[in-house]
Amino acid sequence: MAMVYDLSAIKILKTLGYGEVVGKEWLDKLKHDKKIELPQTYCDFMELVVDSPLLSTSNLWTGKMAHGVCIPMMYYEELEESIQDRTDRWSKRPAKWERSLHELSQLPMTEWTEKVEDHLIIGSDYEGGMGVFGIRKQDLSENDPPVYWHKDSGTVSISEWKLEQEKLSDFLLNVLVEALNCVEYQSAEDALEVKGWSYEEYFDIKKDDWVASKSVLKKYGIDFSKLKKHKASSCKVFCCYDEERNAFFVGNTQDGEISLSAINRAEAENIFLDFHCLEFWLEEARLYAQGEDEGKESQPMYYYVKTKNLPLRLSDYCRPDYAPQKGENGEELCPQTSDGEPLYLLCRTSTLEDIVCDVLKKKPKASNQELIEALNDCLNQEFSKDDTK
């Protein structure tokens, strides 16, 4: 299994289908309006994601965002606006930020460089709104310059910028990986679904828990020690790419716990067990047969599928629900999916559990494929009986 850990933001974007140049005019206008150069690293990235919903709730300003239109601006522009807003009405007891702003207001802009460096502001803390990210104006001619952070607080001087990332490329990768993890917002998942990708979240069926572990990562070919961890708003996030599966694994670590998801092609076989596939419920029945879910009450439920055709496959949609209702003419009324698709009655949960129990008594280590073959045989016999009546 070929797992790639050393990923660039551009490599991730192009693999996900964001290879078309859509932001050249946007970048040209930005350079013209601000009378600045732009780092090549910034241009290469932004020309692929300008106005993209993929990053609409990220810390990077990409034009159209979930909360409005956000275009990069010069820090001096922001300071000038703040001074104009306070003309003739400065606070009598100004905080540190306003004091330094008032001091700046007494100077012509040509002398501001003696007090504060100008920056191109390229983003802000979307979740917390606590500050902005910028590139120093004198660094804009560099290919991959550092990115700095300015805290938006009255206790901080206007000139206090701290190093955020030594390289812009690392900052952009951090922004992208955090977005793909959907830690706070599902924007990336929604955007990628349109491009034919789906998110699968790891669930430990035995522990009835979403928490993964290093051994779980190893099972899927992921070496935890090789993962690059990026900081996010409330945790550390990571991303790696499985070349054989053409799937990304993303996740986060917080308080010693690991969450894990796979960004997989919608048409591909599931990597993790899916709540809505028959294999998941076969595993549930296996635990019941092995007595590993004795704490769970077995309710008189029924399983429903999207097709009446046999044979069933492990990946087929399946979900439990209550007994079908009776219509006015005595017909069975089955539930529907959340998208309004019709579902068909498969069998009672007890029937599935009995079939799995019988198979495991004869062969304790029977595979899920063997379990579904037994289920298909049983259902075929039932249908044959119905046809002879």
Side-chain angles (χ1 to χ4, degrees):
M1 186 179 297
M3 193 67 69
V4 181
Y5 301 94
D6 187 17
L7 294 167
S8 70
I10 299 297
K11 167 67 174 176
I12 294 173
L13 286 174
K14 290 185 175 180
T15 304
L16 291 172
Y18 292 87
E20 182 182 355
V21 174
V22 295
K24 189 175 186 307
E25 290 185 10
W26 188 91
L27 289 162
D28 288 344
K29 187 176 187 305
L30 179 63
K31 287 188 284 188
H32 177 269
D33 292 348
K34 306 301 179 186
K35 297 179 176 56
I36 55 171
E37 296 182 72
L38 288 174
Q40 190 61 48
T41 298
Y42 183 78
C43 293
D44 291 344
F45 183 87
M46 292 298 292
E47 66 182 14
L48 303 180
V49 296
V50 165
D51 294 336
S52 171
L54 180 72
L55 299 176
S56 63
T57 50
S58 73
N59 290 343
L60 183 70
W61 290 346
T62 58
K64 292 181 182 177
M65 305 285 285
H67 58 359
V69 177
C70 298
I71 306 294
M73 64 183 298
M74 301 307 297
Y75 187 44
Y76 278 12
E77 292 179 274
E78 183 181 278
L79 293 174
E80 188 175 28
E81 289 179 8
S82 297
I83 289 172
Q84 291 174 351
D85 288 342
R86 288 166 174 77
T87 301
D88 299 327
R89 55 184 183 87
W90 296 92
S91 302
K92 293 182 179 179
R93 296 180 180 179
K96 187 175 184 180
W97 184 86
E98 193 173 23
R99 287 200 306 272
S100 57
L101 186 66
H102 181 267
E103 183 180 350
L104 197 67
S105 72
Q106 307 304 303
L107 300 172
M109 189 178 291
T110 54
E111 297 180 18
W112 281 12
T113 53
E114 299 176 12
K115 298 293 182 180
V116 57
E117 292 180 310
D118 199 5
H119 290 70
L120 174 66
I121 301 175
I122 60 173
S124 59
D125 179 2
Y126 188 93
E127 172 67 13
M130 295 298 292
V132 294
F133 301 98
I135 303 169
R136 294 189 307 177
K137 186 176 181 179
Q138 63 263 41
D139 294 340
L140 290 175
S141 59
E142 295 183 16
N143 178 58
D144 198 6
V147 177
Y148 295 86
W149 160 254
H150 176 70
K151 188 175 182 180
D152 186 8
S153 170
T155 61
V156 174
S157 168
I158 59 173
S159 61
E160 289 185 35
W161 286 78
K162 295 183 178 181
L163 182 66
E164 174 67 17
Q165 292 277 8
E166 292 184 357
K167 294 182 178 181
L168 173 61
S169 55
D170 289 336
F171 173 79
L172 297 174
L173 179 60
N174 200 132
V175 166
L176 180 57
V177 172
E178 183 176 4
L180 293 178
N181 269 273
C182 300
V183 175
E184 303 291 345
Y185 302 95
Q186 304 300 118
S187 308
E189 181 174 353
D190 295 338
L192 289 174
E193 186 176 306
V194 176
K195 286 187 170 288
W197 298 88
S198 64
Y199 272 70
E200 300 176 25
E201 192 169 359
Y202 173 78
F203 179 78
D204 190 324
I205 193 170
K206 287 187 176 181
K207 297 180 180 178
D208 193 25
D209 199 343
W210 299 97
V211 176
S213 63
K214 292 180 182 179
S215 61
V216 168
L217 268 60
K218 185 177 180 180
K219 174 183 175 182
Y220 293 100
I222 305 169
D223 185 336
F224 184 79
S225 66
K226 293 182 179 180
L227 290 170
K228 183 176 181 180
K229 287 82 173 180
H230 307 266
K231 72 174 184 178
S233 56
S234 58
C235 56
K236 294 279 189 178
V237 294
F238 60 80
C239 175
C240 58
Y241 176 62
D242 187 328
E243 291 183 316
E244 292 184 8
R245 290 192 177 103
N246 184 29
F248 288 93
F249 287 99
V250 296
N252 67 75
T253 62
Q254 184 177 19
D255 299 328
E257 295 185 344
I258 303 172
S259 71
L260 181 65
S261 295
I263 304 175
N264 196 13
R265 292 301 300 174
E267 69 274 10
E269 290 187 10
N270 285 345
I271 295 174
F272 305 138
L273 280 178
D274 182 2
F275 274 122
H276 290 154
C277 75
L278 184 53
E279 187 172 17
F280 181 90
W281 300 107
L282 282 170
E283 281 293 320
E284 278 277 304
R286 184 193 295 273
L287 292 178
Y288 172 81
Q290 295 172 340
E292 293 188 32
D293 64 348
E294 294 177 353
K296 301 179 183 178
E297 295 183 7
S298 182
Q299 301 180 33
M301 303 283 282
Y302 293 75
Y303 288 113
Y304 295 87
V305 292
K306 288 184 178 180
T307 176
K308 296 179 179 179
N309 299 328
L310 292 178
L312 295 165
R313 300 170 302 172
L314 291 171
S315 59
D316 282 350
Y317 180 97
C318 180
R319 88 168 207 220
D321 211 317
Y322 294 104
Q325 303 298 306
K326 294 293 183 182
E328 294 181 359
N329 300 318
E331 73 276 18
E332 287 186 342
L333 300 178
C334 296
Q336 297 180 331
T337 68
S338 58
D339 295 328
E341 295 179 83
L343 294 176
Y344 302 95
L345 179 62
L346 177 64
C347 64
R348 292 175 64 102
T349 54
S350 57
T351 300
L352 182 63
E353 290 168 352
D354 289 344
I355 293 170
V356 171
C357 283
D358 289 343
V359 172
L360 294 182
K361 282 179 182 176
K362 299 172 185 175
K363 189 176 181 181
K365 294 185 178 181
S367 67
N368 285 342
Q369 186 58 44
E370 290 172 307
L371 295 180
I372 200 170
E373 287 172 3
L375 175 61
N376 279 316
D377 288 342
C378 179
L379 294 176
N380 269 318
Q381 293 174 19
E382 290 296 322
F383 291 155
S384 296
K385 290 178 183 178
D386 291 340
D387 291 340
T388 58
K389 289 182 181 179

